[in-house]
Amino acid sequence: ATSCTSCLKGSYSAEVGASLAKTCLKCIGGHYQSEAGKINCNDKCVAGSFSSKPSGASSCTSCLKGSYSKEVGASLATTCLKCVAGFYSIKAGSSSCYNCLKGSYSKEVGASLATTCLKCIGGQYQLETGKTSCHVCAGGRYSTETTGATSCTSCLKGRYSAEVGASVETTCIKCIGGHYQLEAGKLKCNDKCVAGSYSTETSGASSCTSCLK
């Protein structure tokens, strides 16, 4: 021979003076060799990819969109796990999934689009990331945002609301005359003005006015 033949990509041989093609060994699973004529397959598949065994891989296969793998040197497709609900991955070969932002949620498993995360509707909120549902605003509170509220707004002092999941501020009703509400975010205005004080009917009072001397 006037020259030697290189082992193919995806294979290697550490033997000097080799005379047989079978001396070239396939890379084991989880490894690859992108060049011909090499003496090892030391390159491991990065997280988010794998090569089957014995693959003789010249490159690794990426996990699909909507899935991920944290394992380095993975040799099985099952290493790629679907993103759980509340998370998504937009590109192949991901080592982790993105979480839905505060004020949004997703019930879809294996999501591959950010638009899978739906914004909380009015009357609901979500304070945390990566969630599968939104919370309903409690009585005495409301959220008007249709863009994904992260919290609910309390009815002002002197007002109240018994409605759960309220989406408009007008749900907060002013306390009637003779009553008051000292705190924000309350369900009722049961506190009556004590003798010697008053509150007018349309005031929405947070306290009562004392009678003059």
Side-chain angles (χ1 to χ4, degrees):
T2 57
S3 63
C4 297
T5 303
S6 296
C7 292
L8 299 176
K9 295 177 182 180
S11 66
Y12 71 99
S13 175
E15 188 173 326
V16 177
S19 59
L20 297 171
K22 65 181 182 181
T23 308
C24 299
L25 305 175
K26 287 183 177 181
C27 296
I28 62 171
H31 292 68
Y32 71 100
Q33 181 49 263
S34 58
E35 299 179 67
K38 293 299 178 178
I39 60 172
N40 59 46
C41 284
N42 281 350
D43 291 328
K44 289 185 178 181
C45 294
V46 298
S49 66
F50 67 94
S51 69
S52 302
K53 53 182 180 182
S55 64
S58 59
S59 63
C60 298
T61 303
S62 295
C63 295
L64 298 176
K65 294 178 182 180
S67 66
Y68 73 101
S69 174
K70 294 182 181 295
E71 188 173 327
V72 175
S75 60
L76 297 170
T78 51
T79 309
C80 299
L81 305 174
K82 287 184 177 181
C83 297
V84 298
F87 291 75
Y88 64 94
S89 71
I90 57 176
K91 63 179 182 178
S94 294
S95 59
S96 62
C97 299
Y98 296 104
N99 49 254
C100 292
L101 299 176
K102 295 177 181 180
S104 68
Y105 71 100
S106 174
K107 295 182 183 296
E108 187 173 328
V109 176
S112 60
L113 296 170
T115 50
T116 308
C117 300
L118 305 175
K119 290 176 179 177
C120 298
I121 61 173
Q124 298 185 2
Y125 73 101
Q126 182 48 262
L127 181 60
E128 300 177 80
T129 61
K131 294 299 177 180
T132 59
S133 63
C134 296
H135 301 297
V136 176
C137 293
R141 301 169 70 82
Y142 65 93
S143 73
T144 57
E145 292 183 52
T146 55
T147 54
T150 58
S151 63
C152 299
T153 303
S154 295
C155 292
L156 299 175
K157 296 176 182 180
R159 298 171 185 253
Y160 71 98
S161 174
E163 186 174 329
V164 174
S167 60
V168 290
E169 185 182 5
T170 51
T171 308
C172 300
I173 302 166
K174 288 181 178 181
C175 296
I176 61 173
H179 292 70
Y180 71 101
Q181 180 48 262
L182 182 61
E183 298 178 72
K186 293 300 179 179
L187 302 176
K188 52 192 177 183
C189 285
N190 279 354
D191 292 328
K192 290 183 179 180
C193 294
V194 297
S197 66
Y198 67 94
S199 69
T200 58
E201 265 187 53
T202 57
S203 67
S206 59
S207 61
C208 297
T209 304
S210 296
C211 295
L212 298 175
K213 293 180 180 179

